[in-house]
Amino acid sequence: MRVEEEEGEEDNMVPQTDGEVVALDTASSEQKERLVIGYALTSKKKQSFLQPKLEVLARKKGISFVSIDQDKPLSEQGPFDVVLHKLLGNEWHDVIEDYQKKHPEVTVLDPPGAIQRIYNRQSMLQGLADLNLAECDGMICVPKQMVVLHDTTSSANEVAKAGLKFPLVAKPLLVDGTAKSHQLFLAYDCLSLAELEPPLVLQEFVNHGGVLFKVFVVGDVIRVVRRFSLPNVSNVEKEKVAGVFQFPRVSSAAASVDKTDLDPRVAELPPKPLLEGLVRELRNRLGLRLFNIDMIREHGSQDVFYVIDINYFPGYGKMPDYEQVFIDFFLGLAQAKHEKGLCVKSGIEM
Ligand SMILES: Nc1ncnc2c1ncn2[C@@H]1O[C@H](COP(=O)(O)OP(=O)(O)OP(=O)(O)O)[C@@H](O)[C@H]1O
Ligand SMILES: O=P(O)(O)O[C@H]1[C@H](O)[C@H](O)[C@H](OP(=O)(O)O)[C@@H](OP(=O)(O)O)[C@@H]1O
Ligand SMILES: [Mg+2]
Ligand SMILES: [Mg+2]
């Protein structure tokens, strides 16, 4: 597990590759196919992820990307070593599940069942508060939250019974990639909850100084970036303000936050042992290799963090140096498959 920090900050571990002896095709400088990756992505995701630099670097390493025709049977396409996918809707879920049963030799990134779990904001965070992260230089919490499935008019009593404290962040219960599933509201009082449309999750707002940590995970690599977030809510505001207020996607900025003008107590990155422990636990529990974690530091604390969101196959194109991170990741998959003798095309001495 390797935690890499933002550019300009030390990497604590450099990937220890002993290099590889590769048989070059004398006819061309490009290497023989080492890994064939079939991809099924939305056009937006293809544009943001499969950028030309990644494709060129990958090709030089014998890694090729092949677009999957969603109108043809998947088993009639390929053969693939890896299927990389992120599409909307559930029909693709069944296609991939069926394909994986027929092609256990293909690495599916990532298994649909594992993805479904984090597409529900309740199951997404289930069990995180019980992680065994002792000796990891910090604490991981999850905000108190409750699900409102049908009727928000009665949720005022439910909120009181659950002991949730306002303000609350109201989030659509299901994440489906649509803009609607990212429409979030800040609710300041019980009565205003009736204005909200279920099914949703009501999650206690945690003051965190306006900075969020996006922890990107690519297999065993962890890359942390800072993003702008919502400002603290003062006690005066809590007393005076009533109603629900939709807020924009404050943290999905294209660029990270430059930390120079931030309070170091707010901007300091989470401790590496804590990130490594959290990602190790989540990798095991979620069964995912491509995800990011939205973490916030409880305002006034040094080492109490809250996980508020987990995203499958996020916007890696915004992650500094993402091309090399993915090349290393795919080469690792190729190595593992060669060792098992599972690669679609061989001819490469590792
Ligand atoms: N419990 C919370 N306490 C404080 N701020 C929060 C909380 N939940 C969400 N936020 C703020 O709202 C933003 C969006 O929340 P969240 O990440 O859960 O929504 P999302 O739609 O899944 O966003 P995305 O998937 O684009 O990261 C967070 O980046 C953070 O700024
Ligand atoms: O800034 P990031 O990379 O976190 O933005 C992500 C966002 O977190 C979600 O993962 C989005 O996916 P959905 O939740 O499925 O909407 C990503 O959108 P995508 O179109 O790139 O998959 C954002 O990039
Ligand atoms: Mg988020
Ligand atoms: Mg999200």
Side-chain angles (χ1 to χ4, degrees), residues 17 19-20 22 31-32 34-35 37 57-63 82 323-339 343 348 350:
T17 50
E20 59 248 6
V22 177
Q31 292 168 5
K32 290 179 183 168
R34 165 185 287 176
L35 198 76
I37 301 173
L57 282 175
R59 167 52 63 198
K60 285 193 165 73
K61 290 288 186 181
I63 300 166
V82 175
E323 299 91 347
Q324 194 55 53
V325 171
F326 271 90
I327 295 286
D328 291 344
F329 173 61
F330 291 135
L331 289 176
L333 291 181
Q335 171 96 11
K337 293 177 91 71
H338 271 285
E339 282 161 5
C343 215
I348 305 276
M350 300 298 287

PDB file of all heavy atoms in Angstrom, residues 17 19-20 22 31-32 34-35 37 57-63 82 323-339 343 348 350:
ATOM      1  N   THR A  17       9.810  -1.429  -8.197  1.00  0.00           N
ATOM      2  CA  THR A  17       9.697  -2.416  -9.285  1.00  0.00           C
ATOM      3  C   THR A  17      11.120  -2.881  -9.603  1.00  0.00           C
ATOM      4  O   THR A  17      12.040  -2.076  -9.674  1.00  0.00           O
ATOM      5  CB  THR A  17       9.128  -1.747 -10.552  1.00  0.00           C
ATOM      6  OG1 THR A  17       9.894  -0.562 -10.799  1.00  0.00           O
ATOM      7  CG2 THR A  17       7.686  -1.351 -10.342  1.00  0.00           C
ATOM      8  N   GLY A  19      11.866  -3.794 -12.269  1.00  0.00           N
ATOM      9  CA  GLY A  19      11.963  -3.648 -13.728  1.00  0.00           C
ATOM     10  C   GLY A  19      11.467  -4.928 -14.373  1.00  0.00           C
ATOM     11  O   GLY A  19      11.059  -5.857 -13.712  1.00  0.00           O
ATOM     12  N   GLU A  20      11.434  -4.928 -15.676  1.00  0.00           N
ATOM     13  CA  GLU A  20      10.991  -6.190 -16.298  1.00  0.00           C
ATOM     14  C   GLU A  20      11.776  -6.371 -17.596  1.00  0.00           C
ATOM     15  O   GLU A  20      12.089  -5.417 -18.269  1.00  0.00           O
ATOM     16  CB  GLU A  20       9.483  -6.166 -16.577  1.00  0.00           C
ATOM     17  CG  GLU A  20       9.026  -5.072 -17.471  1.00  0.00           C
ATOM     18  CD  GLU A  20       8.174  -4.040 -16.717  1.00  0.00           C
ATOM     19  OE1 GLU A  20       8.057  -4.152 -15.477  1.00  0.00           O
ATOM     20  OE2 GLU A  20       7.712  -3.129 -17.350  1.00  0.00           O
ATOM     21  N   VAL A  22      11.639  -7.431 -21.176  1.00  0.00           N
ATOM     22  CA  VAL A  22      10.503  -7.617 -22.076  1.00  0.00           C
ATOM     23  C   VAL A  22      11.020  -7.943 -23.472  1.00  0.00           C
ATOM     24  O   VAL A  22      11.932  -7.287 -23.966  1.00  0.00           O
ATOM     25  CB  VAL A  22       9.675  -6.308 -22.132  1.00  0.00           C
ATOM     26  CG1 VAL A  22       8.544  -6.462 -23.123  1.00  0.00           C
ATOM     27  CG2 VAL A  22       9.156  -5.972 -20.748  1.00  0.00           C
ATOM     28  N   GLN A  31       5.791  -2.717 -27.989  1.00  0.00           N
ATOM     29  CA  GLN A  31       5.887  -4.067 -27.451  1.00  0.00           C
ATOM     30  C   GLN A  31       4.666  -4.868 -27.854  1.00  0.00           C
ATOM     31  O   GLN A  31       3.629  -4.321 -28.203  1.00  0.00           O
ATOM     32  CB  GLN A  31       5.977  -3.981 -25.932  1.00  0.00           C
ATOM     33  CG  GLN A  31       7.303  -3.359 -25.564  1.00  0.00           C
ATOM     34  CD  GLN A  31       7.352  -2.981 -24.116  1.00  0.00           C
ATOM     35  OE1 GLN A  31       6.428  -3.277 -23.381  1.00  0.00           O
ATOM     36  NE2 GLN A  31       8.417  -2.336 -23.736  1.00  0.00           N
ATOM     37  N   LYS A  32       4.814  -6.187 -27.791  1.00  0.00           N
ATOM     38  CA  LYS A  32       3.667  -7.033 -28.116  1.00  0.00           C
ATOM     39  C   LYS A  32       2.572  -6.778 -27.099  1.00  0.00           C
ATOM     40  O   LYS A  32       2.813  -6.327 -25.988  1.00  0.00           O
ATOM     41  CB  LYS A  32       4.101  -8.509 -28.081  1.00  0.00           C
ATOM     42  CG  LYS A  32       5.018  -8.887 -29.227  1.00  0.00           C
ATOM     43  CD  LYS A  32       5.424 -10.346 -29.120  1.00  0.00           C
ATOM     44  CE  LYS A  32       6.415 -10.717 -30.235  1.00  0.00           C
ATOM     45  NZ  LYS A  32       7.023 -12.031 -29.974  1.00  0.00           N
ATOM     46  N   ARG A  34       0.404  -6.930 -24.223  1.00  0.00           N
ATOM     47  CA  ARG A  34       0.635  -7.530 -22.898  1.00  0.00           C
ATOM     48  C   ARG A  34      -0.688  -7.633 -22.152  1.00  0.00           C
ATOM     49  O   ARG A  34      -0.928  -8.553 -21.393  1.00  0.00           O
ATOM     50  CB  ARG A  34       1.622  -6.652 -22.126  1.00  0.00           C
ATOM     51  CG  ARG A  34       1.658  -6.951 -20.667  1.00  0.00           C
ATOM     52  CD  ARG A  34       2.540  -5.982 -19.946  1.00  0.00           C
ATOM     53  NE  ARG A  34       3.950  -6.271 -20.228  1.00  0.00           N
ATOM     54  CZ  ARG A  34       4.942  -5.515 -19.778  1.00  0.00           C
ATOM     55  NH1 ARG A  34       4.669  -4.426 -19.099  1.00  0.00           N
ATOM     56  NH2 ARG A  34       6.171  -5.816 -20.015  1.00  0.00           N
ATOM     57  N   LEU A  35      -1.569  -6.677 -22.433  1.00  0.00           N
ATOM     58  CA  LEU A  35      -2.844  -6.675 -21.714  1.00  0.00           C
ATOM     59  C   LEU A  35      -3.884  -6.023 -22.614  1.00  0.00           C
ATOM     60  O   LEU A  35      -3.649  -4.950 -23.186  1.00  0.00           O
ATOM     61  CB  LEU A  35      -2.715  -5.868 -20.413  1.00  0.00           C
ATOM     62  CG  LEU A  35      -3.770  -6.084 -19.358  1.00  0.00           C
ATOM     63  CD1 LEU A  35      -3.522  -7.429 -18.647  1.00  0.00           C
ATOM     64  CD2 LEU A  35      -3.753  -4.957 -18.322  1.00  0.00           C
ATOM     65  N   ILE A  37      -7.552  -4.465 -22.599  1.00  0.00           N
ATOM     66  CA  ILE A  37      -8.572  -3.951 -21.672  1.00  0.00           C
ATOM     67  C   ILE A  37      -9.815  -3.557 -22.468  1.00  0.00           C
ATOM     68  O   ILE A  37      -9.763  -2.630 -23.288  1.00  0.00           O
ATOM     69  CB  ILE A  37      -8.051  -2.721 -20.902  1.00  0.00           C
ATOM     70  CG1 ILE A  37      -6.782  -3.097 -20.109  1.00  0.00           C
ATOM     71  CG2 ILE A  37      -9.123  -2.160 -19.965  1.00  0.00           C
ATOM     72  CD1 ILE A  37      -6.095  -1.916 -19.454  1.00  0.00           C
ATOM     73  N   LEU A  57       0.854   6.176 -23.593  1.00  0.00           N
ATOM     74  CA  LEU A  57       1.766   5.557 -22.626  1.00  0.00           C
ATOM     75  C   LEU A  57       1.451   4.076 -22.478  1.00  0.00           C
ATOM     76  O   LEU A  57       2.345   3.219 -22.427  1.00  0.00           O
ATOM     77  CB  LEU A  57       1.642   6.241 -21.257  1.00  0.00           C
ATOM     78  CG  LEU A  57       2.323   7.588 -21.068  1.00  0.00           C
ATOM     79  CD1 LEU A  57       1.996   8.162 -19.685  1.00  0.00           C
ATOM     80  CD2 LEU A  57       3.838   7.444 -21.229  1.00  0.00           C
ATOM     81  N   ALA A  58       0.166   3.752 -22.452  1.00  0.00           N
ATOM     82  CA  ALA A  58      -0.240   2.352 -22.281  1.00  0.00           C
ATOM     83  C   ALA A  58       0.212   1.518 -23.481  1.00  0.00           C
ATOM     84  O   ALA A  58       0.767   0.419 -23.324  1.00  0.00           O
ATOM     85  CB  ALA A  58      -1.757   2.263 -22.112  1.00  0.00           C
ATOM     86  N   ARG A  59       0.002   2.037 -24.671  1.00  0.00           N
ATOM     87  CA  ARG A  59       0.368   1.308 -25.894  1.00  0.00           C
ATOM     88  C   ARG A  59       1.868   0.993 -25.886  1.00  0.00           C
ATOM     89  O   ARG A  59       2.281  -0.103 -26.214  1.00  0.00           O
ATOM     90  CB  ARG A  59      -0.029   2.163 -27.099  1.00  0.00           C
ATOM     91  CG  ARG A  59       0.506   1.760 -28.455  1.00  0.00           C
ATOM     92  CD  ARG A  59       0.283   0.356 -28.849  1.00  0.00           C
ATOM     93  NE  ARG A  59      -1.116  -0.034 -28.990  1.00  0.00           N
ATOM     94  CZ  ARG A  59      -1.500  -1.299 -28.998  1.00  0.00           C
ATOM     95  NH1 ARG A  59      -0.610  -2.250 -28.816  1.00  0.00           N
ATOM     96  NH2 ARG A  59      -2.748  -1.634 -29.165  1.00  0.00           N
ATOM     97  N   LYS A  60       2.664   1.933 -25.413  1.00  0.00           N
ATOM     98  CA  LYS A  60       4.121   1.732 -25.354  1.00  0.00           C
ATOM     99  C   LYS A  60       4.481   0.573 -24.419  1.00  0.00           C
ATOM    100  O   LYS A  60       5.536  -0.046 -24.529  1.00  0.00           O
ATOM    101  CB  LYS A  60       4.829   2.995 -24.885  1.00  0.00           C
ATOM    102  CG  LYS A  60       4.919   4.104 -25.923  1.00  0.00           C
ATOM    103  CD  LYS A  60       5.902   5.171 -25.480  1.00  0.00           C
ATOM    104  CE  LYS A  60       6.277   6.092 -26.638  1.00  0.00           C
ATOM    105  NZ  LYS A  60       5.168   7.007 -26.992  1.00  0.00           N
ATOM    106  N   LYS A  61       3.555   0.300 -23.486  1.00  0.00           N
ATOM    107  CA  LYS A  61       3.825  -0.776 -22.532  1.00  0.00           C
ATOM    108  C   LYS A  61       3.082  -2.050 -22.928  1.00  0.00           C
ATOM    109  O   LYS A  61       2.947  -2.981 -22.147  1.00  0.00           O
ATOM    110  CB  LYS A  61       3.378  -0.334 -21.121  1.00  0.00           C
ATOM    111  CG  LYS A  61       4.257   0.758 -20.523  1.00  0.00           C
ATOM    112  CD  LYS A  61       5.610   0.212 -20.137  1.00  0.00           C
ATOM    113  CE  LYS A  61       6.448   1.260 -19.413  1.00  0.00           C
ATOM    114  NZ  LYS A  61       7.789   0.738 -19.043  1.00  0.00           N
ATOM    115  N   GLY A  62       2.517  -2.056 -24.137  1.00  0.00           N
ATOM    116  CA  GLY A  62       1.810  -3.251 -24.600  1.00  0.00           C
ATOM    117  C   GLY A  62       0.422  -3.400 -24.018  1.00  0.00           C
ATOM    118  O   GLY A  62      -0.129  -4.499 -23.970  1.00  0.00           O
ATOM    119  N   ILE A  63      -0.153  -2.289 -23.572  1.00  0.00           N
ATOM    120  CA  ILE A  63      -1.508  -2.332 -23.002  1.00  0.00           C
ATOM    121  C   ILE A  63      -2.452  -1.648 -23.983  1.00  0.00           C
ATOM    122  O   ILE A  63      -2.204  -0.510 -24.392  1.00  0.00           O
ATOM    123  CB  ILE A  63      -1.563  -1.588 -21.650  1.00  0.00           C
ATOM    124  CG1 ILE A  63      -0.613  -2.232 -20.640  1.00  0.00           C
ATOM    125  CG2 ILE A  63      -2.985  -1.537 -21.096  1.00  0.00           C
ATOM    126  CD1 ILE A  63      -0.351  -1.363 -19.416  1.00  0.00           C
ATOM    127  N   VAL A  82      -8.962  -7.739 -19.234  1.00  0.00           N
ATOM    128  CA  VAL A  82      -9.626  -6.908 -18.221  1.00  0.00           C
ATOM    129  C   VAL A  82     -10.873  -6.289 -18.859  1.00  0.00           C
ATOM    130  O   VAL A  82     -10.865  -5.941 -20.046  1.00  0.00           O
ATOM    131  CB  VAL A  82      -8.680  -5.771 -17.745  1.00  0.00           C
ATOM    132  CG1 VAL A  82      -9.388  -4.804 -16.787  1.00  0.00           C
ATOM    133  CG2 VAL A  82      -7.421  -6.338 -17.104  1.00  0.00           C
ATOM    134  N   GLU A 323      -2.040   9.061 -15.100  1.00  0.00           N
ATOM    135  CA  GLU A 323      -1.674   8.130 -16.182  1.00  0.00           C
ATOM    136  C   GLU A 323      -0.666   7.083 -15.674  1.00  0.00           C
ATOM    137  O   GLU A 323      -0.864   5.882 -15.856  1.00  0.00           O
ATOM    138  CB  GLU A 323      -1.051   8.887 -17.367  1.00  0.00           C
ATOM    139  CG  GLU A 323      -1.951   9.908 -18.028  1.00  0.00           C
ATOM    140  CD  GLU A 323      -1.825  11.299 -17.435  1.00  0.00           C
ATOM    141  OE1 GLU A 323      -1.219  11.415 -16.332  1.00  0.00           O
ATOM    142  OE2 GLU A 323      -2.347  12.252 -18.037  1.00  0.00           O
ATOM    143  N   GLN A 324       0.396   7.559 -15.005  1.00  0.00           N
ATOM    144  CA  GLN A 324       1.424   6.608 -14.542  1.00  0.00           C
ATOM    145  C   GLN A 324       0.881   5.688 -13.470  1.00  0.00           C
ATOM    146  O   GLN A 324       1.209   4.495 -13.415  1.00  0.00           O
ATOM    147  CB  GLN A 324       2.656   7.364 -14.015  1.00  0.00           C
ATOM    148  CG  GLN A 324       3.884   6.459 -13.845  1.00  0.00           C
ATOM    149  CD  GLN A 324       4.239   5.701 -15.135  1.00  0.00           C
ATOM    150  OE1 GLN A 324       4.393   6.309 -16.191  1.00  0.00           O
ATOM    151  NE2 GLN A 324       4.310   4.364 -15.050  1.00  0.00           N
ATOM    152  N   VAL A 325       0.017   6.244 -12.615  1.00  0.00           N
ATOM    153  CA  VAL A 325      -0.582   5.395 -11.565  1.00  0.00           C
ATOM    154  C   VAL A 325      -1.340   4.235 -12.220  1.00  0.00           C
ATOM    155  O   VAL A 325      -1.221   3.075 -11.808  1.00  0.00           O
ATOM    156  CB  VAL A 325      -1.530   6.233 -10.676  1.00  0.00           C
ATOM    157  CG1 VAL A 325      -2.339   5.351  -9.733  1.00  0.00           C
ATOM    158  CG2 VAL A 325      -0.729   7.256  -9.864  1.00  0.00           C
ATOM    159  N   PHE A 326      -2.087   4.540 -13.289  1.00  0.00           N
ATOM    160  CA  PHE A 326      -2.869   3.472 -13.932  1.00  0.00           C
ATOM    161  C   PHE A 326      -1.982   2.538 -14.762  1.00  0.00           C
ATOM    162  O   PHE A 326      -2.223   1.321 -14.789  1.00  0.00           O
ATOM    163  CB  PHE A 326      -3.992   4.066 -14.786  1.00  0.00           C
ATOM    164  CG  PHE A 326      -5.256   4.262 -14.003  1.00  0.00           C
ATOM    165  CD1 PHE A 326      -5.498   5.443 -13.329  1.00  0.00           C
ATOM    166  CD2 PHE A 326      -6.181   3.227 -13.878  1.00  0.00           C
ATOM    167  CE1 PHE A 326      -6.643   5.607 -12.555  1.00  0.00           C
ATOM    168  CE2 PHE A 326      -7.334   3.381 -13.111  1.00  0.00           C
ATOM    169  CZ  PHE A 326      -7.568   4.573 -12.446  1.00  0.00           C
ATOM    170  N   ILE A 327      -0.951   3.075 -15.375  1.00  0.00           N
ATOM    171  CA  ILE A 327      -0.034   2.190 -16.129  1.00  0.00           C
ATOM    172  C   ILE A 327       0.574   1.164 -15.151  1.00  0.00           C
ATOM    173  O   ILE A 327       0.568  -0.045 -15.405  1.00  0.00           O
ATOM    174  CB  ILE A 327       1.101   3.009 -16.785  1.00  0.00           C
ATOM    175  CG1 ILE A 327       0.542   3.965 -17.843  1.00  0.00           C
ATOM    176  CG2 ILE A 327       2.165   2.081 -17.391  1.00  0.00           C
ATOM    177  CD1 ILE A 327       0.096   3.345 -19.115  1.00  0.00           C
ATOM    178  N   ASP A 328       1.024   1.666 -14.001  1.00  0.00           N
ATOM    179  CA  ASP A 328       1.619   0.744 -13.001  1.00  0.00           C
ATOM    180  C   ASP A 328       0.580  -0.282 -12.543  1.00  0.00           C
ATOM    181  O   ASP A 328       0.859  -1.467 -12.403  1.00  0.00           O
ATOM    182  CB  ASP A 328       2.122   1.532 -11.775  1.00  0.00           C
ATOM    183  CG  ASP A 328       3.331   2.397 -12.106  1.00  0.00           C
ATOM    184  OD1 ASP A 328       3.955   2.163 -13.156  1.00  0.00           O
ATOM    185  OD2 ASP A 328       3.634   3.312 -11.315  1.00  0.00           O
ATOM    186  N   PHE A 329      -0.652   0.211 -12.359  1.00  0.00           N
ATOM    187  CA  PHE A 329      -1.731  -0.686 -11.900  1.00  0.00           C
ATOM    188  C   PHE A 329      -1.996  -1.771 -12.946  1.00  0.00           C
ATOM    189  O   PHE A 329      -2.046  -2.964 -12.630  1.00  0.00           O
ATOM    190  CB  PHE A 329      -2.992   0.145 -11.645  1.00  0.00           C
ATOM    191  CG  PHE A 329      -4.229  -0.661 -11.325  1.00  0.00           C
ATOM    192  CD1 PHE A 329      -4.286  -1.490 -10.197  1.00  0.00           C
ATOM    193  CD2 PHE A 329      -5.340  -0.604 -12.150  1.00  0.00           C
ATOM    194  CE1 PHE A 329      -5.422  -2.226  -9.901  1.00  0.00           C
ATOM    195  CE2 PHE A 329      -6.492  -1.336 -11.859  1.00  0.00           C
ATOM    196  CZ  PHE A 329      -6.528  -2.161 -10.739  1.00  0.00           C
ATOM    197  N   PHE A 330      -2.116  -1.371 -14.196  1.00  0.00           N
ATOM    198  CA  PHE A 330      -2.402  -2.348 -15.253  1.00  0.00           C
ATOM    199  C   PHE A 330      -1.224  -3.299 -15.455  1.00  0.00           C
ATOM    200  O   PHE A 330      -1.411  -4.505 -15.659  1.00  0.00           O
ATOM    201  CB  PHE A 330      -2.750  -1.639 -16.562  1.00  0.00           C
ATOM    202  CG  PHE A 330      -4.065  -0.907 -16.548  1.00  0.00           C
ATOM    203  CD1 PHE A 330      -4.168   0.384 -17.064  1.00  0.00           C
ATOM    204  CD2 PHE A 330      -5.202  -1.502 -16.002  1.00  0.00           C
ATOM    205  CE1 PHE A 330      -5.391   1.059 -17.051  1.00  0.00           C
ATOM    206  CE2 PHE A 330      -6.430  -0.825 -15.976  1.00  0.00           C
ATOM    207  CZ  PHE A 330      -6.515   0.452 -16.509  1.00  0.00           C
ATOM    208  N   LEU A 331      -0.010  -2.779 -15.333  1.00  0.00           N
ATOM    209  CA  LEU A 331       1.164  -3.668 -15.457  1.00  0.00           C
ATOM    210  C   LEU A 331       1.165  -4.697 -14.337  1.00  0.00           C
ATOM    211  O   LEU A 331       1.512  -5.867 -14.529  1.00  0.00           O
ATOM    212  CB  LEU A 331       2.461  -2.852 -15.435  1.00  0.00           C
ATOM    213  CG  LEU A 331       2.738  -2.008 -16.680  1.00  0.00           C
ATOM    214  CD1 LEU A 331       4.017  -1.175 -16.488  1.00  0.00           C
ATOM    215  CD2 LEU A 331       2.853  -2.883 -17.923  1.00  0.00           C
ATOM    216  N   GLY A 332       0.719  -4.270 -13.182  1.00  0.00           N
ATOM    217  CA  GLY A 332       0.608  -5.211 -12.061  1.00  0.00           C
ATOM    218  C   GLY A 332      -0.401  -6.305 -12.361  1.00  0.00           C
ATOM    219  O   GLY A 332      -0.192  -7.481 -12.064  1.00  0.00           O
ATOM    220  N   LEU A 333      -1.502  -5.930 -13.015  1.00  0.00           N
ATOM    221  CA  LEU A 333      -2.512  -6.935 -13.395  1.00  0.00           C
ATOM    222  C   LEU A 333      -1.918  -7.894 -14.426  1.00  0.00           C
ATOM    223  O   LEU A 333      -2.099  -9.113 -14.351  1.00  0.00           O
ATOM    224  CB  LEU A 333      -3.749  -6.256 -13.989  1.00  0.00           C
ATOM    225  CG  LEU A 333      -4.636  -5.431 -13.074  1.00  0.00           C
ATOM    226  CD1 LEU A 333      -5.827  -4.875 -13.856  1.00  0.00           C
ATOM    227  CD2 LEU A 333      -5.125  -6.268 -11.894  1.00  0.00           C
ATOM    228  N   ALA A 334      -1.148  -7.320 -15.374  1.00  0.00           N
ATOM    229  CA  ALA A 334      -0.544  -8.161 -16.427  1.00  0.00           C
ATOM    230  C   ALA A 334       0.428  -9.158 -15.805  1.00  0.00           C
ATOM    231  O   ALA A 334       0.423 -10.347 -16.124  1.00  0.00           O
ATOM    232  CB  ALA A 334       0.173  -7.276 -17.439  1.00  0.00           C
ATOM    233  N   GLN A 335       1.223  -8.650 -14.864  1.00  0.00           N
ATOM    234  CA  GLN A 335       2.198  -9.512 -14.181  1.00  0.00           C
ATOM    235  C   GLN A 335       1.482 -10.649 -13.484  1.00  0.00           C
ATOM    236  O   GLN A 335       1.822 -11.825 -13.625  1.00  0.00           O
ATOM    237  CB  GLN A 335       2.952  -8.666 -13.147  1.00  0.00           C
ATOM    238  CG  GLN A 335       3.841  -9.448 -12.201  1.00  0.00           C
ATOM    239  CD  GLN A 335       5.295  -9.473 -12.677  1.00  0.00           C
ATOM    240  OE1 GLN A 335       5.632  -8.744 -13.588  1.00  0.00           O
ATOM    241  NE2 GLN A 335       6.094 -10.308 -12.066  1.00  0.00           N
ATOM    242  N   ALA A 336       0.430 -10.302 -12.771  1.00  0.00           N
ATOM    243  CA  ALA A 336      -0.307 -11.326 -12.007  1.00  0.00           C
ATOM    244  C   ALA A 336      -0.912 -12.351 -12.951  1.00  0.00           C
ATOM    245  O   ALA A 336      -0.872 -13.558 -12.722  1.00  0.00           O
ATOM    246  CB  ALA A 336      -1.398 -10.650 -11.176  1.00  0.00           C
ATOM    247  N   LYS A 337      -1.446 -11.875 -14.076  1.00  0.00           N
ATOM    248  CA  LYS A 337      -2.081 -12.806 -15.025  1.00  0.00           C
ATOM    249  C   LYS A 337      -1.037 -13.692 -15.704  1.00  0.00           C
ATOM    250  O   LYS A 337      -1.238 -14.878 -15.921  1.00  0.00           O
ATOM    251  CB  LYS A 337      -2.906 -12.028 -16.055  1.00  0.00           C
ATOM    252  CG  LYS A 337      -4.122 -11.339 -15.460  1.00  0.00           C
ATOM    253  CD  LYS A 337      -4.863 -10.530 -16.489  1.00  0.00           C
ATOM    254  CE  LYS A 337      -5.914 -11.346 -17.156  1.00  0.00           C
ATOM    255  NZ  LYS A 337      -7.059 -11.676 -16.328  1.00  0.00           N
ATOM    256  N   HIS A 338       0.134 -13.096 -16.009  1.00  0.00           N
ATOM    257  CA  HIS A 338       1.193 -13.915 -16.630  1.00  0.00           C
ATOM    258  C   HIS A 338       1.653 -15.008 -15.683  1.00  0.00           C
ATOM    259  O   HIS A 338       1.880 -16.144 -16.073  1.00  0.00           O
ATOM    260  CB  HIS A 338       2.371 -13.028 -17.041  1.00  0.00           C
ATOM    261  CG  HIS A 338       2.215 -12.480 -18.416  1.00  0.00           C
ATOM    262  ND1 HIS A 338       2.397 -13.243 -19.548  1.00  0.00           N
ATOM    263  CD2 HIS A 338       1.834 -11.261 -18.838  1.00  0.00           C
ATOM    264  CE1 HIS A 338       2.153 -12.513 -20.624  1.00  0.00           C
ATOM    265  NE2 HIS A 338       1.809 -11.295 -20.217  1.00  0.00           N
ATOM    266  N   GLU A 339       1.737 -14.602 -14.413  1.00  0.00           N
ATOM    267  CA  GLU A 339       2.195 -15.589 -13.427  1.00  0.00           C
ATOM    268  C   GLU A 339       1.200 -16.744 -13.338  1.00  0.00           C
ATOM    269  O   GLU A 339       1.537 -17.874 -13.085  1.00  0.00           O
ATOM    270  CB  GLU A 339       2.395 -14.935 -12.057  1.00  0.00           C
ATOM    271  CG  GLU A 339       3.698 -14.149 -11.992  1.00  0.00           C
ATOM    272  CD  GLU A 339       3.728 -13.137 -10.856  1.00  0.00           C
ATOM    273  OE1 GLU A 339       2.772 -13.103 -10.047  1.00  0.00           O
ATOM    274  OE2 GLU A 339       4.716 -12.371 -10.791  1.00  0.00           O
ATOM    275  N   CYS A 343      -2.926 -14.757 -19.384  1.00  0.00           N
ATOM    276  CA  CYS A 343      -3.064 -13.590 -20.257  1.00  0.00           C
ATOM    277  C   CYS A 343      -3.558 -14.003 -21.647  1.00  0.00           C
ATOM    278  O   CYS A 343      -3.200 -15.072 -22.159  1.00  0.00           O
ATOM    279  CB  CYS A 343      -1.728 -12.859 -20.379  1.00  0.00           C
ATOM    280  SG  CYS A 343      -2.008 -11.083 -20.487  1.00  0.00           S
ATOM    281  N   ILE A 348       5.627 -12.294 -24.026  1.00  0.00           N
ATOM    282  CA  ILE A 348       6.445 -11.302 -23.308  1.00  0.00           C
ATOM    283  C   ILE A 348       7.150 -12.017 -22.169  1.00  0.00           C
ATOM    284  O   ILE A 348       6.515 -12.697 -21.380  1.00  0.00           O
ATOM    285  CB  ILE A 348       5.534 -10.197 -22.684  1.00  0.00           C
ATOM    286  CG1 ILE A 348       4.653  -9.568 -23.750  1.00  0.00           C
ATOM    287  CG2 ILE A 348       6.378  -9.207 -21.943  1.00  0.00           C
ATOM    288  CD1 ILE A 348       5.285  -8.484 -24.539  1.00  0.00           C
ATOM    289  N   MET A 350       8.762 -11.688 -18.735  1.00  0.00           N
ATOM    290  CA  MET A 350       8.680 -10.628 -17.710  1.00  0.00           C
ATOM    291  C   MET A 350      10.028 -10.516 -16.998  1.00  0.00           C
ATOM    292  O   MET A 350      10.656 -11.541 -16.760  1.00  0.00           O
ATOM    293  CB  MET A 350       7.610 -11.004 -16.675  1.00  0.00           C
ATOM    294  CG  MET A 350       6.236 -11.163 -17.277  1.00  0.00           C
ATOM    295  SD  MET A 350       5.660  -9.621 -18.005  1.00  0.00           S
ATOM    296  CE  MET A 350       5.307  -8.709 -16.528  1.00  0.00           C
TER     297      MET A 350
END
